[in-house]
Amino acid sequence: MEKTFKLERETLAGRDIMGLYDAIAAALGYDISDESIRYDCRKVCISENIPKMLYETYEAQNPQAFLADREQAAFEVARLLLLYGPKADPSLPDNTVRTEDGFVFYEKEEIA
């Protein structure tokens, strides 16, 4: 079942991709302190302003990389978003998230 909801800008600000996923899971009622919690990036969409906020976070966390080679640093952030990030949906209003069933799941322990 799809769920669409808004997150407060303050909740989103300063978060990296995993922090964003934790905020989304917490908003959905999951216990994010459980170490077996996992996220499926294919099952979440975000409004177009959120990737911009993620980019700003990575730039703030790595100012030397951006000073040394802005183009390369921007490429690395784009690569992170491409590989691990949620999909941006231009139809969603700012600060909005849409999740599908299976976005949050728990890794099962293997018995040796």
Side-chain angles (χ1 to χ4, degrees):
M1 177 174 178
E2 272 188 11
K3 293 184 181 178
T4 302
F5 54 94
K6 285 187 99 162
L7 292 171
E8 296 295 322
R9 183 166 180 79
E10 296 77 29
T11 301
L12 297 168
R15 292 190 181 264
D16 59 12
I17 292 172
M18 287 308 299
L20 172 64
Y21 290 161
D22 284 344
I24 294 169
L28 291 169
Y30 289 92
D31 176 10
I32 61 171
S33 66
D34 186 327
E35 291 185 14
S36 67
I37 199 167
R38 300 291 182 264
Y39 308 114
D40 185 340
C41 67
R42 299 169 301 164
K43 298 187 178 191
V44 61
C45 292
I46 56 175
S47 57
E48 289 185 312
N49 74 308
I50 297 174
K52 293 174 188 169
M53 293 171 67
L54 290 168
Y55 181 89
E56 291 167 1
T57 297
Y58 283 109
E59 184 172 5
Q61 290 175 347
N62 304 291
Q64 294 303 326
F66 280 83
L67 287 172
D69 187 344
R70 184 164 202 77
E71 187 175 315
Q72 181 62 35
F75 172 78
E76 291 300 325
V77 173
R79 188 170 63 91
L80 281 173
L81 291 172
L82 180 65
L83 293 173
Y84 306 110
K87 299 171 289 297
D89 182 342
S91 72
L92 294 174
D94 281 357
N95 305 331
T96 302
V97 174
R98 184 178 60 240
T99 61
E100 299 174 23
D101 283 344
F103 164 64
V104 178
F105 62 97
Y106 294 94
E107 183 176 72
K108 296 178 181 163
E109 288 186 39
E110 291 186 31
I111 300 173

